[in-house]
Each structure stands twice: as C-alpha cells, then as structure tokens.
Amino acid sequence: MSTIAHADHDHHDHKPTGIKRWLFSTNHKDIGTMYLVFSLIMFFVGGSMAMIIRAELFQPGLQFVDPQFYNSMVTVHALVMIFGAVMPAGVGLANWMIPIMIGAPDMALPRMNNMSFWIMPFAFALLLGTLFMEGGGPASGWTMYPPLVLQTGKAFPYLIFAVHFLGISSIMGSINIIATVFNMRAPGMTLMRLPLFVWTWVITAFLLIASMPVLAGAVTMLLTDKYFGTSFFNAAGGGDPVLFQHIFWFFGHPEVYILALPAFGIISQIIPTFARKPLFGYASMVYATASIAILSFFVWGHHMFTVGLPITGELFFMYMTMLIAVPTGVKVFNWVATMWKGAMTFEAPMLFSIAFVILFTIGGFSGLMLGITPVDFQYHNTYFVVAHFHYVLLTGAVFALMASVYYWIPKWTGNMYDEKLAKIHFWLSTIFANILFFPQHFLGLAGMPRRIPDYSVQFTDFNMISSLGGFGYGISQLLFVYIVIKCVLGGKKATSQVWEGGRGLEWTLSSPPPYHSFTTPPKVTKTLMDY
Amino acid sequence: MVKKVFRNNNEMVKKRNTRFALILGLIAFSLYAGFILSFMK
Ligand SMILES: [Cu+2]
C-alpha cells in the first residue's frame, strides 16, 4: 500500500458534511457518486417506460395506453436512457476514476464540475415534467424530426431547453476531463502510459465538444422555426426539412460513440485484470479509438439512405460506414488476444466484459448489415434497427457499465460485493436481454415497423417472447440495486489491491481512497502496468 | 500535506486549467453560433 494514502491527513482539512457536502461539492469522488446515483435512478425511470412499451406490445391491438402516450413513452425512454442514464454514468466513472488513474488530487475545474452535475436534475425536471402537461410529453421520437416535432404542444419549449441544458452540462464535463488529463497528470504518466479508460474518455470529450454544439444549434433552429417565424426547416418558407436530418445525424452518429467509447475503455481495463496479462496492442487500441472518433463524423448519411440522397452520397456513406468496422475489429481482436493464454478467472466484471465482447459484436454486425445501402431500403425503420441499437447500447454500453460497477465498487466503498448474487445478476441479465432483443431481428426482417403501438397478428409470437424477456430483464435489475446497497452498507473488507491482477495507480490507493486522492503526486514508471 | 501539491504548482496549473476551459468553451460556442449562422440566408 502506498504511503500517500494515510487517512489521517483527512481531518487536517475541511470536509463538509450533510446536505452541503453534496450541494456545494467540489470533490471529484462525491460528484462522481452523485452522477452514478442519478444515472441509476434514470435507468429505472427509462426502464419503467420500456416496461410500458413492452406491455403494450405483448399483444396486437391497443391494451393499456393510447397511441399518443405510447409515442411519448418511446421518445422519452430514448432521451432518458441516452442523456440521463448512459452518459451520466460515463461522466460519473470519469469523475471517480480519472484523477485516481492519473495521480491527480482532484479534477482540474472542481466548481465547474459541480455545476455540470447540478444542471442535470433541472434539465430532467423540465423534460419529465412535460409528461404531466396538457397535451402530454414530446412524441416525435428522440430524433425530433420536423415537421412532426413542431406539432408538439406545450411540451415543445421544455424539450428544447432540456436538450440545451444537457448539452451545456456535457460540454462543461468534457472541458473538465480534457483539462484534467492534459494538465494534472503525475510525473512519469506520459500520454502513452495513460490507462485505456482515460484515453477513451479524452477522445470522447473531444467528440462531445465537437458534436453537442451542433445538436444545440439544430434544436435552436427548431425553436425559432416554431416561435420566431424562421424557415430553416420549413419548405414553404424556402427551408428544407431534410436539412434537419443532416444536422441531427451529424451529431447523432458521434453521439453513438460518445456512449460506446467509454465502454470500450472499461472493457480494456477489466479484461487484462482478469486475464492477468497486459492489454494486447495498447498503441493500436489508442489509434483505433481515435480513428473511430474521426470516422464517426463522416458516416451520418447511413441514417438517411431512404430520404433520396444522390447515389454518390449513398455510396460514400456506405463505404465510410464499412470502414469503421476496421478499427472496431482491431479492438475486438485485441480483447480476444489479451485473453489468449491468460490465467483467467471469471468474477462478475469479467463475465460482463466477455458478454460485452460477444454481444456488442453481434450489434456491430447487424450495424454493418444496416450500413449497406440497398439492404437498408428493406430494414429502414423496422424492428431490425431497434434490435441492432439495443445490442450495441444495452448488451454493449450498459453491460460495460455494470461490469465497471462490480470492478470498481470495492474501491469506492471499501467493501467487496456479493459475488454469488452478482453472478446470478449476470446470468439473468444476459439470458433475458437476449430473449428480449434477439427476436426483434426476426420481427424487423418480416417487416414490423418501429414506433407503432399496434401490429398485425403474424408478429404476435415474437412480440410475446420479446416482452417476456423485457419483464425478466427489468425485474433482474432490482437484484443489481440490492447488491449495490448491500455492498455500500457492509461486507467483506476490500484491500487496496482488490483484484489480484489489478494494475495501475487506482490500486495503490486505499479502499475507499482518501478524501483528496493523491496529496503528493506519485512517481509513475513504465513498469506500472507490468505483470 | 493536502496543500502541498497545490502549493508546488498552484498558480501555474490553475492558470493553465482556466485557459483550457476558455479556449474549449470558445470553440464549442463558435461551433454552435457558426452552425446556425451558416444556415441563415
Ligand atoms: Cu450512425
């Protein structure tokens, strides 16, 4: 254990308590905790909307909700899961782990850190509040295409401002991460020694800074179109509704990688730990991540193959999309090569990581299918798309987040989690997630459209199976909450090392780490990650 | 002990952090404004 981790330094220094500790927090660990708790709450808010959707789709015909409310469930489920659950979870992990991994005392801009967190509850109060308004919540899909979105009632300005606030929050978070990694590294922590999780987050932060303003611009234009007489997207005034789709997906595709890259980073931390081998191809992982990020700005047209792009445009976007498979393939190869001949054990973080590699790759393959222009003409707007992005985002991003919680929660709380329950949680999640989403491929290929509360009778069987998987998945996540609470309250004490194969600065600090992570900068040598 | 890191490079690091925040914030804002302006006729 490191000598810098003496807890007795803590009481020399003012440590706020009670509500003030959280409200005015400038401590990266406390803010990280708030992000993670917020994300978990939003995961259940978004999840309960998914339960309503699956209940309605259990049988053909209209059972529980009217179509307008169904559409707003589809819309708000997506917004809550993307901006409220997955992104804040990533930022929470970044807050907790980046200073610890690079040997810094805290984040670079702690007060801005506080602001970027506290903006979010307000933004979601605006967004979720619309569900109780006259006319209901936004129901145009999370993509907010005009002219449909302009028919939104009273909820419209709340939706737009919520998106603005979330954009500001994540841009501030990104600035903080970039400044921290570039300015606050311990001596000897060169860029090419950064843990992969830190690398993927730096690249994600640049993606956010480049793409969030574009989304903010697009929704500002929607706002002025509706209330101030402009015609950016109004054909009658000389505008073009398809322009919105171009702008939105110029943001939207990088957004996919904003959700996925931190997940790649998490997996690249966990697999070496439990294979007890250094990560295979470290440098190629960094370059692959950067290539994915750059390419992600040149593929937006694959969401718009059916709007009638020029044939050269369709071919360009198709080939660029195929190109992303190369760096992604490099990553999957490196993960498998890291496990090759490793001394592997299968604790919950490793199980989730292995499931991630397999299931994310399934989502990647269905993405390649959708990226082929003529094939997309058939799949576009069907349940095949829904199956694809849920493999990428649920069995991909969310599984990586689950893995990261099991991996780092002993460090956060000082207690080991219940491994037996965690394994049960893993198997229930994996089995039910596949029952939930795999049949949706078949529904899509058979032609069932997405965002529709009713369907023809021939789709009934697969929808019933899918709904049962959905309910099972939803209920199994309560087990996760139980495991987390149990771990926070007590359990077997964790050592500072926690995992036998753990390498890196985070494992040199006590569990839980002292209030100010590194009070004197550690010296990093190139043997830090050796086995 | 806590103050030590901050004392060693306090002013320099703080200045650099603020400069980073200003530059990146400016880039983000000009992207936002530039994007909207470029679609005005
Ligand atoms: Cu895309």
Side-chain angles (χ1 to χ4, degrees), chain A residues 16-190:
Chain A
T17 48
I19 183 84
K20 275 189 179 163
R21 169 176 173 191
W22 303 103
L23 214 52
F24 303 126
S25 179
T26 52
N27 182 283
H28 75 99
K29 293 192 261 327
D30 286 349
I31 295 175
T33 304
M34 288 197 288
Y35 264 110
L36 289 169
V37 171
F38 180 80
S39 152
L40 188 61
I41 294 169
M42 284 296 139
F43 181 61
F44 279 92
V45 171
S48 51
M49 293 171 187
M51 295 300 112
I52 294 173
I53 293 168
R54 280 322 318 173
E56 181 57 55
L57 292 178
F58 188 74
Q59 282 178 59
L62 295 176
Q63 266 76 236
F64 301 106
V65 292
D66 64 273
Q68 171 76 17
F69 185 74
Y70 178 89
N71 285 342
S72 72
M73 283 295 100
V74 170
T75 306
V76 183
H77 162 74
L79 290 169
V80 165
M81 286 305 204
I82 293 168
F83 293 101
V86 178
M87 283 172 75
V91 182
L93 294 174
N95 256 299
W96 246 104
M97 299 317 292
I98 287 177
I100 297 180
M101 287 176 140
I102 65 172
D106 205 302
M107 294 294 276
L109 303 150
R111 271 171 293 198
M112 197 159 87
N113 206 4
N114 176 293
M115 262 210 285
S116 42
F117 173 76
W118 281 109
I119 286 175
M120 282 205 320
F122 287 103
F124 276 95
L126 287 183
L127 182 66
L128 296 174
T130 60
L131 290 172
F132 305 100
M133 280 175 187
E134 192 191 323
S140 58
W142 82 285
T143 52
M144 302 177 282
Y145 284 0
L148 181 63
V149 73
L150 299 173
Q151 295 173 17
T152 309
K154 288 208 168 73
F156 185 76
Y158 294 88
L159 167 70
I160 302 296
F161 284 117
V163 172
H164 275 128
F165 280 132
L166 293 170
I168 292 168
S169 161
S170 44
I171 286 172
M172 292 203 301
S174 307
I175 290 174
N176 214 340
I177 287 166
I178 292 172
T180 306
V181 176
F182 284 174
N183 293 340
M184 310 277 284
R185 277 171 291 138
M189 181 57 88
T190 58

Side-chain angles (χ1 to χ4, degrees), chain A residues 248-362:
Chain A
F248 181 85
W249 288 112
F250 183 80
F251 146 81
H253 196 86
E255 171 66 23
V256 174
Y257 290 103
I258 290 163
L259 306 171
L261 292 185
F264 292 168
I266 292 163
I267 302 303
S268 307
Q269 298 298 131
I270 294 176
I271 289 182
T273 300
F274 295 97
R276 293 166 179 77
K277 270 176 72 197
L279 183 68
F280 185 89
Y282 173 90
S284 69
M285 281 300 214
V286 176
Y287 299 134
T289 311
S291 322
I292 291 173
I294 293 165
L295 283 172
S296 73
F297 283 103
F298 302 97
V299 298
W300 78 86
H302 63 211
H303 298 271
M304 304 169 58
F305 283 147
T306 57
V307 301
L309 300 176
I311 191 77
T312 39
E314 306 222 301
L315 288 174
F316 172 80
F317 287 122
M318 176 168 92
Y319 292 132
M320 290 307 267
T321 305
M322 302 289 115
L323 218 52
I324 291 196
V326 178
T328 313
V330 168
K331 281 179 162 295
V332 173
F333 178 85
N334 285 344
W335 288 324
V336 176
T338 306
M339 287 188 267
W340 180 254
K341 292 190 174 174
M344 291 206 282
T345 50
F346 299 94
E347 287 88 346
M350 185 61 160
L351 288 175
F352 271 105
S353 301
I354 294 171
F356 170 95
V357 173
I358 297 165
L359 299 174
F360 182 86
T361 306
I362 292 179

Side-chain angles (χ1 to χ4, degrees), chain A residues 37 204 219 499:
Chain A
V37 171
T204 304
V219 297
W499 307 109

